[in-house]
Amino acid sequence: MCGICGYINSKILGQEILSGMNDTMKHRGPNDSGAWEQENDDYAIGMAHRRLSILDLSELGHQPMFSQNKEVVIVFNGEIYNYREIRKELQQKGYKFQSNCDTEVIISAYQEWGVECFGKLNGMFAIAIYDVKQKRLVLARDRMGKKPLYYYHNNKIFCFGSELKPILKFPLFIKDINTNAIGDFLCNKCISAPETIFCNTFKLQPGTYMIYQNGTIQLSSYWDAAERKQSVDNEKIWDYEEGKRQLENILLDSVKKRMISDVPLGSFLSGGIDSTLITSVAQGISNKPVKSFTIGFYDKKENEAEFAAEIAKHIGTEHHELYVSEQDILDTIQDLPFYYDEPFSDSSQLPSMLVSRMASDHITVALSGDGGDELFCGYTMYDLTWIAQHSDWMGAVAYKMIGNSRLMEQLPSELRAFINNRDKHRKTQLFIDVVREEVEKILGQPLNNIKYSQEDKIEYKNWQERRMLLDIQTYLPEDILTKMDRASMKHSLEVRCPLLDYRFVEKTFQIPHKYKYNKFDKKYILKDITYKYVPEKLLDRPKKGFSIPLRKWLRTVLASQIAMYADESKLEQQGIFQKKAIKELIEKQKISDKKIYSSILWSFYIFQRWYQLFIEDLWNN
């Protein structure tokens, strides 16, 4: 895995500045670095790369890489799993290759097919290509959003990077906060693409490529999850056993492709369905024990490590455990603002960092089970969505009776959200209204566009199907994959997700929903496949997951920091939060065990730590 960055400007910046931008991502690529600049008649361009060597460890994999005719320059972050097949196809067309790396294949693919080449790539990637002949810069991001790609565009100034840090280092960057993104963050724990925390700064969305030419941007989608699902609606696999067989066959190939590596490889094993299946398949393919990794907790109520160990013993992996204390987790908080670049408050980032740190002592590539919940209806949220749909008629009746009355104001926020959920285009997002009410208080302004607009285009009658598809387009790339990318890259560890192979994702779209969710039995068909590799008795238990004691921390070990960040004079100077509302939130969190209060207060804490590092340290002046 790597980091990329670059710019287009009226004049050349120089190697010192470009290398300085590039080196902010040394953790993403500690093995090598490269930078290239060129001055043209009316503009200058620079591109840089930090390398984590995975395939072809020789100098032939160095980037920026040039086509043999010097007409194409590329910097690339990711892995292309079908590059060998594409390479053979290109060789038949007369292309010759000097290296054994996928980067050179992308160059030739672009020369042969232009921007259509991105639809041929099976992998995780963020790509920047400078086309010398056409004088254009092309950026592209993988279908599922595994690899991040940011860009800054202000008039004819353009800059891009795998993270925000190199963009912040760009000398012409104007560091203005995008205030509209703050409410989004406080409600969703992350900032939704294409927005970022800074003005004129954006995330390239998954399945999208951009052409930057003559100071203008053209965005195009080459893959869209909703469109792909709708395109196969008439191709459902109603034969359960046949559907299971096809899913397993694609998964076997997906795992096999993701085990191609010139450096040590292993697998995360939490003891849940997804990681167990991926690790089992990997062990079946490998001719030696696969290294597996899990985090353990000393509190037995939270600990799943013993179950993961039993599974590892059954599968036959070389298993590694790291038992962590509460203090170990607390210590990782210090690194969060720097490595996540913008406010991000999914607290499972903390154990993700710890398991990545442990694994990086043994391997450079790890397999992960990310994606299983979104593809096979695995979250508790989907149970709640089912309940909400089947009781929505009661909400409609209540709305007609008391929708605009004072009585509504007296009801609990959860019940108000249920009754007010009358927008037929955004039915599955009623739960965010509960959070929105509290966030509006601390920001002192209404949040009118807090729900994802993507649901408007999802027309399935089944709310679960709608919510799953919405999560694939939003929650998965913006939260789950962002969390793991930053947590793993902090420790120069590449994480690959076989369940997010686009062929597997598209095949799940052909599986009838009743085979995924069966009377509150979630992940039905995926569990059935897993039981072929691991006995059901080893997995037949409620999943605990990584539970972070936020309520306890915010009331005890973090209380003094919370008080510091909530200092009224500093809040007034900062000009973002309402002093009285923040004080009330802290008091409510102290006496109530409602998750919403600790969740929002934690997000407030994370935002203030980010603000202190990246904007202004108001609290130590």
Side-chain angles (χ1 to χ4, degrees):
M1 202 48 57
C2 310
I4 65 174
C5 65
Y7 72 88
I8 288 180
N9 186 34
S10 60
K11 60 181 181 179
I12 208 160
L13 292 181
Q15 287 289 302
E16 184 177 350
I17 292 176
L18 182 56
S19 294
M21 292 166 58
N22 195 33
D23 289 346
T24 63
M25 303 181 294
K26 189 174 181 179
H27 52 283
R28 296 189 76 91
N31 303 131
D32 188 21
S33 66
W36 165 84
E37 291 178 294
Q38 177 176 293
E39 197 150 22
N40 299 310
D41 293 337
D42 54 349
Y43 67 95
I45 182 169
M47 299 169 72
H49 180 263
R50 292 285 334 182
R51 184 183 182 194
L52 177 62
S53 302
I54 303 293
L55 293 172
D56 193 341
L57 309 185
S58 72
E59 284 296 316
L60 294 175
H62 179 79
Q63 296 183 41
M65 185 179 288
F66 301 82
S67 62
Q68 293 178 25
N69 63 6
K70 305 300 182 183
E71 290 184 354
V72 175
V73 190
I74 187 173
V75 286
F76 158 58
N77 167 28
E79 302 290 345
I80 307 302
Y81 303 118
N82 65 335
Y83 81 97
R84 292 177 175 174
E85 294 90 327
I86 296 174
R87 176 178 168 143
K88 286 181 181 178
E89 184 178 353
L90 290 166
Q91 284 174 326
Q92 291 172 358
K93 293 177 177 291
Y95 288 86
K96 299 184 183 300
F97 297 90
Q98 297 177 334
S99 71
N100 187 39
C101 69
D102 48 4
T103 311
E104 190 179 11
V105 173
I106 299 172
I107 291 176
S108 296
Y110 174 78
Q111 288 182 300
E112 178 65 24
W113 298 296
V115 293
E116 299 298 319
C117 73
F118 304 124
K120 286 180 161 289
L121 305 180
N122 180 358
M124 53 179 182
F125 54 82
I127 299 170
I129 293 173
Y130 178 60
D131 189 320
V132 176
K133 197 171 183 179
Q134 298 194 52
K135 293 186 177 182
R136 68 180 189 178
L137 178 68
V138 181
L139 303 183
R141 193 175 176 202
D142 66 76
R143 294 169 180 83
M144 305 307 297
K146 274 283 289 155
K147 292 295 101 187
L149 190 53
Y150 295 85
Y151 65 94
Y152 174 71
H153 184 219
N154 192 358
N155 294 320
K156 290 193 175 182
I157 297 169
F158 187 86
C159 179
F160 69 89
S162 293
E163 298 181 357
L164 284 174
K165 282 186 282 294
I167 295 176
L168 287 167
K169 197 85 171 178
F170 181 54
L172 299 175
F173 176 72
I174 300 173
K175 195 165 59 173
D176 290 336
I177 290 182
N178 176 10
T179 54
N180 292 329
I182 298 174
D184 182 18
F185 161 67
L186 293 172
C187 287
N188 294 306
K189 303 181 182 178
C190 57
I191 296 172
S192 311
E195 298 297 314
T196 72
I197 192 61
F198 294 112
C199 294
N200 301 313
T201 311
F202 307 93
K203 303 179 184 86
L204 187 65
Q205 291 182 284
T208 301
Y209 68 85
M210 168 202 291
I211 296 175
Y212 181 81
Q213 192 171 29
N214 298 323
T216 62
I217 286 175
Q218 177 188 337
L219 292 169
S220 301
S221 172
Y222 69 90
W223 191 89
D224 180 270
E227 290 179 0
R228 291 304 303 155
K229 180 171 171 58
Q230 289 163 9
S231 72
V232 298
D233 274 347
N234 296 324
E235 302 173 20
K236 286 286 191 292
I237 305 171
W238 293 104
D239 185 308
Y240 180 80
E241 293 299 325
E242 177 61 18
K244 193 168 68 169
R245 184 190 68 80
Q246 290 190 31
L247 281 173
E248 185 179 5
N249 285 344
I250 295 176
L251 182 60
L252 288 168
D253 187 63
S254 174
V255 174
K256 185 177 180 180
K257 279 181 164 57
R258 283 157 180 78
M259 292 183 72
I260 297 172
S261 173
D262 294 331
V263 293
L265 177 144
S267 184
F268 293 148
L269 180 61
S270 69
I273 295 294
D274 307 333
S275 65
T276 295
L277 176 58
I278 296 303
T279 307
S280 299
V281 171
Q283 185 58 68
I285 293 170
S286 179
N287 56 12
K288 59 182 179 181
V290 169
K291 293 179 173 66
S292 57
F293 303 89
T294 194
I295 288 286
F297 298 96
Y298 293 109
D299 184 346
K300 288 189 176 182
K301 294 179 181 178
E302 306 293 342
N303 187 42
E304 285 192 305
E306 57 190 87
F307 303 119
E310 289 181 28
I311 291 169
K313 183 178 180 180
H314 177 83
I315 298 170
T317 64
E318 178 189 313
H319 194 53
H320 300 261
E321 291 180 341
L322 175 67
Y323 272 77
V324 296
S325 66
E326 200 170 289
Q327 189 59 48
D328 292 327
I329 303 174
L330 277 166
D331 289 342
T332 65
I333 294 176
Q334 306 305 316
D335 293 331
L336 294 182
F338 179 80
Y339 287 101
Y340 280 84
D341 280 339
E342 57 182 348
F344 184 92
S345 59
D346 181 338
S347 60
S348 62
Q349 64 196 138
L350 299 169
S352 296
M353 280 189 165
L354 290 170
V355 73
S356 295
R357 184 183 71 186
M358 171 181 61
S360 68
D361 290 336
H362 305 271
I363 59 175
T364 308
V365 176
L367 302 180
S368 165
D370 285 337
D373 289 312
E374 292 82 3
L375 296 175
F376 293 94
C377 210
Y379 293 126
T380 302
M381 172 61 71
Y382 301 136
D383 290 328
L384 299 176
T385 302
W386 187 94
I387 293 169
Q389 178 171 12
H390 287 79
S391 54
D392 186 55
W393 65 271
M394 290 188 288
V397 171
Y399 184 78
K400 287 182 179 180
M401 295 175 62
I402 60 171
N404 295 312
S405 69
R406 290 187 178 182
L407 177 59
M408 275 286 287
E409 298 175 8
Q410 308 303 317
L411 298 176
S413 56
E414 293 84 356
L415 187 53
R416 283 199 303 274
F418 172 69
I419 294 173
N420 284 324
N421 189 34
R422 299 304 106 210
D423 184 346
K424 66 179 181 180
H425 298 293
R426 301 186 183 182
K427 280 294 195 180
T428 74
Q429 300 180 68
L430 73 157
F431 311 101
I432 202 66
D433 286 334
V434 181
V435 185
R436 178 183 55 78
E437 283 192 14
E438 294 297 325
V439 171
E440 286 179 339
K441 294 175 186 176
I442 65 174
L443 291 179
Q445 60 184 16
L447 301 174
N448 297 319
N449 298 310
I450 208 65
K451 294 184 178 180
Y452 294 119
S453 62
Q454 287 92 330
E455 188 178 354
D456 298 353
K457 300 177 182 178
I458 303 173
E459 299 179 351
Y460 293 98
K461 293 181 180 179
N462 185 317
W463 288 16
Q464 282 182 332
E465 286 191 89
R466 287 170 62 175
R467 183 60 192 242
M468 290 165 64
L469 197 49
L470 181 66
D471 285 343
I472 288 170
Q473 296 177 89
T474 56
Y475 179 67
L476 179 62
E478 305 308 333
D479 187 307
I480 300 299
L481 299 182
T482 297
K483 172 189 68 179
M484 185 51 74
D485 175 81
R486 305 306 192 279
S488 59
M489 292 314 303
K490 175 184 186 297
H491 300 288
S492 304
L493 178 72
E494 175 175 300
V495 175
R496 300 174 176 178
C497 304
L499 293 175
L500 295 180
D501 186 307
Y502 81 94
R503 300 169 303 159
F504 187 80
V505 172
E506 291 182 355
K507 185 58 64 175
T508 68
F509 293 161
Q510 292 182 260
I511 302 299
H513 187 70
K514 66 179 182 179
Y515 298 155
K516 302 173 185 177
Y517 187 89
N518 189 343
K519 298 177 181 178
F520 290 89
D521 188 357
K522 298 185 283 291
K523 295 185 176 179
Y524 188 80
I525 194 169
L526 192 68
K527 287 192 288 189
D528 211 3
I529 295 171
T530 307
Y531 297 152
K532 178 178 176 180
Y533 297 88
V534 176
E536 183 175 352
K537 63 181 181 180
L538 292 181
L539 291 160
D540 188 17
R541 53 186 161 75
K543 180 162 178 61
K544 299 175 183 177
F546 292 129
S547 180
I548 303 299
L550 289 183
R551 294 173 194 151
K552 174 185 172 185
W553 288 357
L554 293 169
R555 294 168 182 172
T556 55
V557 291
L558 295 180
S560 60
Q561 290 187 54
I562 293 290
M564 179 186 75
Y565 287 130
D567 179 88
E568 291 192 3
S569 64
K570 302 301 183 183
L571 290 179
E572 189 171 334
Q573 188 177 348
Q574 188 181 24
I576 294 174
F577 301 101
Q578 299 296 302
K579 297 178 293 184
K580 182 180 178 182
I582 289 293
K583 184 178 180 180
E584 289 175 352
L585 175 64
I586 294 171
E587 292 305 311
K588 283 189 285 190
Q589 198 276 332
K590 285 180 180 178
I591 61 175
S592 172
D593 284 334
K594 285 184 70 171
K595 185 178 179 180
I596 185 173
Y597 299 135
S598 56
S599 177
I600 296 174
L601 189 58
W602 170 254
S603 294
F604 166 77
Y605 169 72
I606 291 294
F607 181 89
Q608 296 296 67
R609 289 190 60 84
W610 171 85
Y611 189 96
Q612 183 178 21
L613 177 65
F614 284 103
I615 305 301
E616 184 181 5
D617 188 353
L618 300 173
W619 298 274
N620 287 317
N621 290 337

